[in-house]
């Protein structure tokens, strides 16, 4: 397993397949993708998990964390998040946050993130804002 920087367009297929398969591909393309930092986990030269990070001042939001179904449950996304958390610390980020699907809340809690209890819905999905502060 290797984690490295990737281009925004390298995230789109996995975002689409894992998160919003019933939406058009354009639905997972973010206006701010060009200003973000994007990372992929590679296994045997295949991208199997991705995340996009957006830093503003001393805060970082990560978005679109997704792992291909056949690679889920193996700790890959956890390793990817640990990697970006460490990268954020090196950049003096004080708060990392994400819009987590409500059903995935316990995954983020295992990594030390806390529920802010700020919730919302998008395209039929329920989300809660999770954060970790340093």
């Amino acid at each position: 397993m290797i984690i490295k920087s990737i281009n925004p367009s390298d995230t789109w297929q996995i975002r689409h397949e894992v998160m919003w398969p019933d939406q058009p591909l354009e639905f997972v393309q973010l206006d701010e993708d060009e200003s973000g930092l994007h990372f992929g986990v590679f296994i045997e030269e295949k991208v199997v998990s991705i995340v996009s990070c957006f830093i503003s001042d001393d805060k970082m939001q990560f978005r679109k964390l997704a792992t291909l179904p056949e690679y889920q449950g193996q700790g890959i996304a956890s390793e990817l998040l640990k990697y970006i958390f460490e990268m954020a610390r090196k950049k003096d980020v004080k708060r990392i946050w994400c819009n987590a699907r409500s059903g995935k809340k316990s995954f983020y809690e295992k990594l030390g993130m806390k529920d802010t209890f700020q919730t919302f819905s998008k395209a039929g999905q329920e989300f809660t804002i999770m954060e970790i502060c340093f």
Side-chain angles (χ1 to χ4, degrees), residues 78-91:
S78 296
E79 288 303 311
L80 182 53
L81 285 185
K82 289 175 190 173
Y83 179 90
I84 66 163
F85 287 4
E86 184 58 30
M87 179 264 311
R89 282 188 195 100
K90 289 177 182 173
K91 292 181 178 291

Side-chain angles (χ1 to χ4, degrees), residues 9 19 38 74-75 79 85 118:
S9 59
M19 304 179 85
H38 308 274
Q74 300 176 34
E79 288 303 311
F85 287 4
Q118 298 172 51

Side-chain angles (χ1 to χ4, degrees), residues 9-28:
S9 59
D10 296 331
T11 68
W12 298 340
Q13 190 57 43
I14 293 177
R15 286 178 185 177
H16 185 252
E17 180 179 336
V18 175
M19 304 179 85
W20 300 104
D22 297 334
Q23 298 289 340
L25 183 65
E26 294 76 26
F27 189 80
V28 301

Side-chain angles (χ1 to χ4, degrees), residues 16-55:
H16 185 252
E17 180 179 336
V18 175
M19 304 179 85
W20 300 104
D22 297 334
Q23 298 289 340
L25 183 65
E26 294 76 26
F27 189 80
V28 301
Q29 298 171 5
L30 306 173
D31 292 338
E32 59 270 25
D33 269 343
E34 289 304 319
S35 63
L37 302 171
H38 308 274
F39 299 93
V41 176
F42 291 77
I43 295 179
E44 297 177 3
E45 300 188 27
K46 176 182 180 179
V47 181
V48 300
S49 185
I50 52 93
V51 70
S52 299
C53 304
F54 303 91
I55 298 174

